[in-house]
């Protein structure tokens, strides 16, 4: 749904709403003509989108903005709560994969039999609540539900790291078409600093066989997770994004 604000018959602002599923709405692209800013147009568009989301059955509305967009943050935080922050990271392929011969376990694809272990792991995770229980597909955030996990497992996009006879880390990563290349995109990752680093490095070693050029990741803005990615040879692009949520119930 695209909403357009007009003044004297001229378009001066617009905003976009998407229903991601039956209960989650996503807002993006709120734009106001510079000549008409500071007149409440952005707020009016935002309010109209919330009403429309409720009319369509949404119970949660979310959006993302860059941490340097102070004007947008000021408006958003009047009604929305920040539920997470992430830093984009990227890494090229590596030709030396981790393997059991050097004493390190490698992640394997999850199967349907792993679903209960995954749910139990997330329920006891410190990272899961810190990121709002969200999975990112590019710059759109989805609630991690049983149905999403089952769909990602079926699509072979969930990797598990098992060590010492238990689940020690996991990630959801999907192949995506980037602007300039094909990439493996990490939309959620969990574990200790060591296990996250092992998973992140191992995914780099899979790129060539998957015919992909790089790994990109929306890394939770948590020191232990960011340190893990840095240790696995990933580079940060110097940006931070905030995710906000508004409850309609």
């Amino acid at each position: 749904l695209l909403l357009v604000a007009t003044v004297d018959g001229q378009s001066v602002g617009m905003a976009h709403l998407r229903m991601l599923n039956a209960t989650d709405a996503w807002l993006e692209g709120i734009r106001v003509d510079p000549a008409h800013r500071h007149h409440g147009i952005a707020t009016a568009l935002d309010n109209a989108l919330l009403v429309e989301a409720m009319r369509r059955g949404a119970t949660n509305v979310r959006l993302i903005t860059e941490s340097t967009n102070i004007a947008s943050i000021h408006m958003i935080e009047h009604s929305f709560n920040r539920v997470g922050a992430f830093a984009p990271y990227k890494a090229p392929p590596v030709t030396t994969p981790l393997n059991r011969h050097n004493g390190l376990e490698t992640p394997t694809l999850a199967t349907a039999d792993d679903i209960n272990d995954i749910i139990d792991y997330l329920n006891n995770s410190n990272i899961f609540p810190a990121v709002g229980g969200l999975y990112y597909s590019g710059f759109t955030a989805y609630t991690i539900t049983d149905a999403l996990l089952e769909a990602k497992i079926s699509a072979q996009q969930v990797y598990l790291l098992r060590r010492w006879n238990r689940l020690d880390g996991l990630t959801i990563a999907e192949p995506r078409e980037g602007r300039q290349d094909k990439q493996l995109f990490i939309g959620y990752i969990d574990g200790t600093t060591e296990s996250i680093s092992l998973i992140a490095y191992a995914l780099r070693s899979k790129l060539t066989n998957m015919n992909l050029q790089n790994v990109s990741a929306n890394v939770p803005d948590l020191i232990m997770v960011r340190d893990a990615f840095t240790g696995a040879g990933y580079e940060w692009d110097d940006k931070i994004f905030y995710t906000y949520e508004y409850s309609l119930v």
Side-chain angles (χ1 to χ4, degrees):
L1 171 70
L2 180 67
L3 293 184
V4 178
T6 62
V7 173
D8 296 330
Q10 293 187 336
S11 299
V12 297
M14 63 179 63
H16 184 236
L17 168 73
R18 281 192 294 149
M19 292 297 299
L20 302 181
N21 51 45
T23 59
D24 291 338
W26 188 255
L27 304 188
E28 58 192 358
I30 297 179
R31 301 287 185 270
V32 176
D33 187 319
H36 290 83
R37 290 176 182 170
H38 309 296
H39 291 87
I41 293 173
T43 300
L45 282 169
D46 185 51
N47 290 338
L49 288 174
L50 293 178
V51 170
E52 185 60 31
M54 184 180 295
R55 190 183 72 80
R56 293 174 179 236
T59 58
N60 292 291
V61 181
R62 299 187 184 93
L63 58 85
I64 284 174
T65 193
E66 193 169 351
S67 62
T68 55
N69 193 342
I70 303 303
S72 290
I73 290 172
H74 179 73
M75 181 192 74
I76 291 166
E77 291 188 346
H78 280 300
S79 51
F80 284 71
N81 295 314
R82 189 187 304 178
V83 293
F86 65 86
Y89 278 70
K90 181 179 285 190
V94 292
T95 57
T96 307
L98 297 174
N99 57 64
R100 294 187 179 185
H101 296 295
N102 56 24
L104 296 172
E105 300 290 341
T106 58
T108 58
L109 286 169
T111 69
D113 293 336
D114 295 310
I115 187 68
N116 289 332
D117 278 353
I118 294 171
I119 292 172
D120 287 343
Y121 188 87
L122 295 177
N123 284 336
N124 290 283
S125 165
N126 292 321
I127 292 177
F128 186 73
V131 301
L134 300 174
Y135 161 77
Y136 292 90
S137 180
F139 282 85
T140 304
Y142 296 81
T143 304
I144 297 179
T145 62
D146 294 3
L148 183 142
L149 290 171
E150 290 168 356
K152 292 299 182 182
I153 290 172
S154 178
Q156 296 190 315
Q157 295 175 359
V158 179
Y159 296 84
L160 306 180
L161 182 67
R162 292 187 181 275
R163 299 194 295 172
W164 306 295
N165 297 315
R166 62 178 175 82
L167 183 57
D168 194 46
L170 62 89
T171 189
I172 307 174
E174 63 177 11
R176 287 178 57 89
E177 288 279 352
R179 293 181 179 179
Q180 299 177 339
D181 50 26
K182 295 179 180 179
Q183 58 188 226
L184 185 63
F185 186 86
I186 298 174
Y188 181 82
I189 196 162
D190 206 327
T192 63
T193 300
E194 182 181 38
S195 61
I196 289 173
S197 190
L198 289 173
I199 294 170
Y201 187 89
L203 291 182
R204 294 180 61 196
S205 71
K206 296 180 180 293
L207 292 175
T208 301
N209 289 339
M210 298 176 73
N211 195 30
L212 301 174
Q213 283 72 54
N214 65 70
V215 185
S216 294
N218 283 356
V219 177
D221 189 27
L222 303 170
I223 292 175
M224 52 102 44
V225 184
R226 294 183 62 173
D227 284 350
F229 273 82
T230 299
Y234 287 66
E235 293 187 354
W236 176 39
D237 76 351
D238 295 323
K239 295 180 180 179
I240 299 289
F241 293 86
Y242 296 151
T243 305
Y244 289 90
E245 179 178 282
Y246 182 85
S247 175
L248 293 170
V249 296

